[in-house]
Amino acid sequence: MQRHHEHHGHQQPQQEYVGHDEHQKQLADVRQDLHQARQQHSHHDKHAGHRPEIFKRRFFICLVLSLPVLYYAPMLQMWFGYRAIAFPGSEWVAPILGTIIYFYGGWVFLRGAWRELHSKIGMMTLIALAITVAFIYSLAVSFGLRGEPFYWELVTLVDIMLLGHWIEMASVQGASRALENLAELVPTVAHRLVNGRVEDVQVNTLQHDDLILVRPGEQIPIDGEVTEGASSVNEAFLTGESRPVTKHINDEVVAGSVNGDGALTVKVTRTGEQTTLSQIMRLVEEAQSSKSRYQALADQLAYWLTLIAITVATLTFIVWLAFAPDSTFAINRAVTVLVIACPHALGLAIPLVIVNATAMSAKHGILVRSREAFERARNIQTIAFDKTGTLTEGRFGVQRIYTDQIDELKALRIAATLESLSEHPLAQAIVQEADRRQIQFTKGEDFQAIPGSGVEGTVNNQRYRVGRPEWVRELKLTFPAALQAGLKESESRGESAIVLMDDQQVLAVFGLADQVREPAREAVARLQEMGVQVVMITGDAEAVAKTVAEDLNIDRYYARVLPQDKASIIRRLKAEKPTAFVGDGINDAPALTEADLGLAIGAGTNVAIESADLVLINSSPLDATYALKLAKATYNKMLQNLFWATGYNVIAIPLAAGIAYSFGILLSPAVGAILMSVSTVVVSINAMLLRRLRLRG
């Protein structure tokens, strides 16, 4: 890692680039590639090709159409003691509206069942089978078959299932836009140098060895090597490096990083898919398309319940057809079994818990982006944190001041006076420390920024310089032994050192470092109390990583980690134990998608947020502990709800089949509907009880 630092002058506003149409075309290509990647594994999803809006629209339309059906239902008239208004043809209200609801509202389930028949039957098959049997039987009754139609059971079953799937899909709304955000990071136009002239060209037309000009304040459009100029470049988005890195001739620069106050001439070294940014985009896309899907317990139960329902209904029909006085009784029993075997509550068991957990998460500053996040989070045994911006503030603070022949406060006053005219992060750290100590600045004169070195100016008629330690040797000034020892000590801790000089010697050394966030200490302690191993991953140097790790009592850390290596480390950690990753930068996106659970710091980049399962809105690592605690409680509620949603079938299905008929006990569809309603109410109340959990206690 380079320890050379340059001070910025007043940064120029970033250039507004042209080529909007071309940029939009590139973004459209990214969307197309991402869509194709999703399509490759979409056949495994019961919601493949569906959007929340589909279920939402159909639910409300079917709900309105269901009201007349419920109003004319004989069973409801008997329960509530009213007589429906009769008019010529009123007996056809339920059949007509029931038919519309079956085809319009039930179509998504019928199509889903068709897909499941080509892979593995489950919830969609069960729903489709129940509504189809209920519809065909009810329609047959309307045209003369003896029996009681199931129209109101049919329409309420469709309504509840549409509601449940709408809630479920709404909880996972938002196909990841990470690749689009990555594509938007770099400019579409570059300043190419041709025979001493500057011409603006599209970035995708640049060739290997082309020379481009990067002006102060601009983003670097492509990977390359500096051939002329010196400047500091902010690479934090790509490398995780918390401080701008000084670039000289022969140094590499990366697309997407931001140039400082010096102009650079860059020779193109990588184009197209070879650039660092493109490789990160590929890693994110691969992680998205290859991440294994968590098979929800509800789907497993639906699979077995479907097999049981079909088997029991078939046996019921055969047995009663042999022993019943007429076939209508046998048909009625079989249909009742199928209708009862598809409880309304099963469709809501998981989504209701997720919605309540999501609302509770939001209240505590946690945004849920993945429906599987809570199921996976309960097993997490290792949590890896990115350092910069997650465990640390991502901004510098003065850690120590070494002085010689000058008072510490006076040294800080002089340095802050000069640095107040600079926008460099290290300069701002000096100024903020002076503000914290309530030091009044002295008026400076003849201020001048020296690219790649520092700043100089006159304070109280004395010339001073503040800049990188290497500047001392260039100016051939005296460097007292005590201050050299201080510099060595500061650098051994991975701190960034800048020096204050007059015309003869070095007067002070300031050790600056990225400051550890106070919530990070509590977060690490709590996680370790929960038995979760804490790991730190950073692109910073070994000394920096070691200092922060010791400060936070973290035993395991990785330093100097490149973007592509973060995902590899997470992969190795996953092989040992279920692993979560917390990060905030672009370089964290592949690791976030690779981890069993990705948590993005809310103040980070859109790419990190869009690649994560959970987003810590308040940017506090302490929220990661709340997420894991809530996940365990959520999973328990899911298990309880699945029990309540399906447990009654152990009794209801045999009774519906007529097993207690000889004892005068026969479960009618109406009673079965009551049991389904009770089951739904129990599931809803149980999900609401999740909100009583105290996360911060």
Side-chain angles (χ1 to χ4, degrees), residues 253-285:
V253 291
V254 183
S257 52
V258 180
N259 186 25
D261 60 356
L264 296 175
T265 300
V266 176
K267 181 175 69 174
V268 176
T269 57
R270 289 190 293 270
T271 60
E273 296 182 355
Q274 297 177 343
T275 63
T276 302
L277 192 59
S278 295
Q279 291 173 16
I280 293 177
M281 290 173 66
R282 177 180 54 78
L283 287 171
V284 173
E285 186 173 5

Side-chain angles (χ1 to χ4, degrees), residues 302-353:
Y303 170 73
W304 289 108
L305 191 56
T306 301
L307 296 180
I308 292 171
I310 294 174
T311 302
V312 173
T314 303
L315 290 175
T316 298
F317 177 75
I318 293 173
V319 170
W320 284 113
L321 190 62
F323 295 101
D326 59 67
S327 60
T328 302
F329 185 83
I331 295 174
N332 196 291
R333 290 298 93 214
V335 171
T336 304
V337 168
L338 286 175
V339 172
I340 284 178
C342 188
H344 294 55
L346 185 58
L348 292 173
I350 302 300
L352 277 178
V353 175

